[in-house]
Amino acid sequence: MQLFQGIRPFYFITFNTHQRRNLLFHDTVHAAFRIFAERAHAEHGVAVGRYVLMPDHVHLFVALPEDVRLAPWVKALKAVLGKTLSSIGLAQPHWQQGFFDHVLRGGESYSLKWDYVRLNPVRAGLAKCAEDWPYQGEVVRLPFS
């Protein structure tokens, strides 16, 4: 993986539920996301930074080591969350195919994306302020945060 200013690049990722169904605003789903991200960091060096789980989509920032490919990692995350959704009685299919990714190359880009993402629950009328939305957080502090 190429380095930018001495720091490995990281990605802004978005993926959606199937037909934009409201599936993800659930404590169990949030817990499964955190566990997956924490294990990915401990076992594979994958660093999930800030994230927001909206009812029908996920935004996250992630930095990957050279030996971890993005598409299989996102597929594994969707699989784990899908199993969690099934376990709480939510029928498949859970996900739209694919995901959106954008390489972030600097602090300004990260800051702009994060400002947009963190306000999603407010714009959607789900919270009065961004900090009130319970399905967000930061697993690993990424270099530009």
Side-chain angles (χ1 to χ4, degrees):
M1 187 175 287
Q2 188 180 20
L3 297 179
F4 297 98
Q5 302 172 356
I7 300 168
R8 66 183 175 182
F10 58 96
Y11 298 89
F12 170 60
I13 306 294
T14 300
F15 57 91
N16 300 317
T17 60
H18 181 70
Q19 296 181 342
R20 300 298 295 254
R21 290 171 47 207
N22 291 332
L23 304 176
L24 304 176
F25 59 112
H26 195 285
D27 291 342
T28 304
V29 175
H30 188 207
F33 176 89
R34 296 258 339 165
I35 290 167
F36 180 88
E38 289 165 4
R39 284 186 182 158
H41 186 247
E43 297 172 10
H44 304 286
V46 174
V48 173
R50 294 172 175 166
Y51 66 88
V52 174
L53 306 181
M54 293 293 289
D56 63 353
H57 65 282
V58 174
H59 291 296
L60 65 98
F61 298 88
V62 63
L64 303 170
E66 289 183 20
D67 62 338
V68 176
R69 292 180 37 233
L70 182 60
W73 184 83
V74 172
K75 183 177 181 179
L77 173 57
K78 285 178 160 183
V80 166
L81 295 180
K83 287 179 185 176
T84 302
L85 292 167
S86 292
S87 77
I88 59 175
L90 297 168
Q92 293 183 15
H94 299 123
W95 306 113
Q96 281 186 8
Q97 289 186 350
F99 60 94
F100 167 82
D101 67 281
H102 177 76
V103 175
L104 299 173
R105 291 185 170 86
E108 183 178 333
S109 181
Y110 187 21
S111 179
L112 290 172
K113 292 279 190 209
W114 176 241
D115 286 343
Y116 168 79
V117 167
R118 73 181 192 84
L119 292 173
N120 267 0
V122 176
R123 284 191 300 274
L126 300 169
K128 289 187 179 188
C129 67
E131 294 74 23
D132 291 344
W133 184 243
Y135 308 114
Q136 65 168 321
E138 184 175 42
V139 178
V140 175
R141 188 157 183 86
L142 292 175
F144 297 122
S145 59

